[in-house]
Amino acid sequence: RLVHEFGEAVSLSCFDDGHVVYLDSVLGTHSFSLVNRVGARQPAYRVASGRAMLAHLPEDAQRLIDAGMDPGSPATPMADPQRLRAELAAISRRGYAIDKGTAVEGFNAVAAAILDFSAAPVAAISVLAPSGRLPDRTLRAIGVRVGETAREISDELRVSTTPPPRPGVRAGAAKRAAVPDKPPSSGRVA
């Protein structure tokens, strides 16, 4: 849907041990397009899709990422842990991540996390295009739309993957405390 709407390449990725792994990519409709190779891995802090997912991890998990960062990464300002944490807070507020040519020179990207029923990131969707076709004002507009699409997918995922209540437990009670549907019998158990 995003490819048809914007004509740019779209990728689906997941988070794996501090890295982004690309699961699928669809070429844009323009004659010149770049896609992420399926199976390729990138450190999560270096790419928009990784930062979109990192923004939804607990702080202790974010600190583990800090420990694995390579401060000597070429042209990666997000390799500074303080700057990364500030960017993750901004991503969390606006709902999408932006990359202006730091992951791939000359290309801009926007990405948003797909969340499961516990609000944990399970994947991210991203749009990637030459920076001339994705200037700042376009990045923001596409970012909003990518964020909306990720929320729609997240909502569908939550509906289809919310664990059913255990037998004998009222719906929703499993998260608070186990509450039987019927009071226990007063009879003795031999």
Side-chain angles (χ1 to χ4, degrees):
R1 174 168 81 182
L2 291 171
V3 171
H4 296 294
E5 194 170 334
F6 299 112
E8 303 298 353
V10 175
S11 293
L12 176 70
S13 57
C14 68
F15 187 79
D16 180 44
D17 193 28
H19 289 79
V20 166
V21 178
Y22 294 98
L23 303 173
D24 197 9
S25 291
V26 179
L27 277 170
T29 59
H30 296 280
S31 60
F32 179 73
S33 197
L34 177 73
V35 293
N36 295 297
R37 185 175 46 85
V38 172
R41 294 174 64 89
Q42 288 286 334
Y45 67 91
R46 286 189 191 172
V47 294
S49 55
R51 293 192 300 273
M53 289 184 278
L54 286 172
H56 294 280
L57 290 177
E59 240 181 83
D60 56 336
Q62 290 178 7
R63 278 194 285 279
L64 290 175
I65 301 301
D66 292 350
M69 296 174 91
D70 175 13
S73 300
T76 307
M78 291 303 147
D80 171 28
Q82 288 180 324
R83 186 168 176 190
L84 176 63
R85 278 195 289 282
E87 175 64 11
L88 296 180
I91 292 165
S92 184
R93 282 190 304 276
R94 76 175 164 252
Y96 59 90
I98 296 172
D99 188 302
K100 296 181 184 178
T102 57
V104 179
E105 190 175 345
F107 282 80
N108 290 343
V110 292
I114 297 169
L115 309 175
D116 69 9
F117 66 91
S118 68
V122 293
I125 52 175
S126 59
V127 174
L128 174 69
S131 54
R133 289 200 310 253
L134 284 184
D136 283 349
R137 69 181 181 284
T138 306
L139 273 174
R140 287 182 188 81
I142 292 177
V144 167
R145 189 67 190 101
V146 169
E148 290 169 353
T149 302
R151 280 189 298 281
E152 290 170 13
I153 296 168
S154 297
D155 290 345
E156 289 294 320
L157 183 63
R158 284 185 200 116
V159 168
S160 67
T161 61
T162 301
R166 294 179 303 197
V169 176
R170 287 186 286 210
K175 289 183 182 175
R176 295 183 307 273
V179 178
D181 284 331
K182 298 177 186 174
S185 70
S186 58
R188 291 187 195 194
V189 178

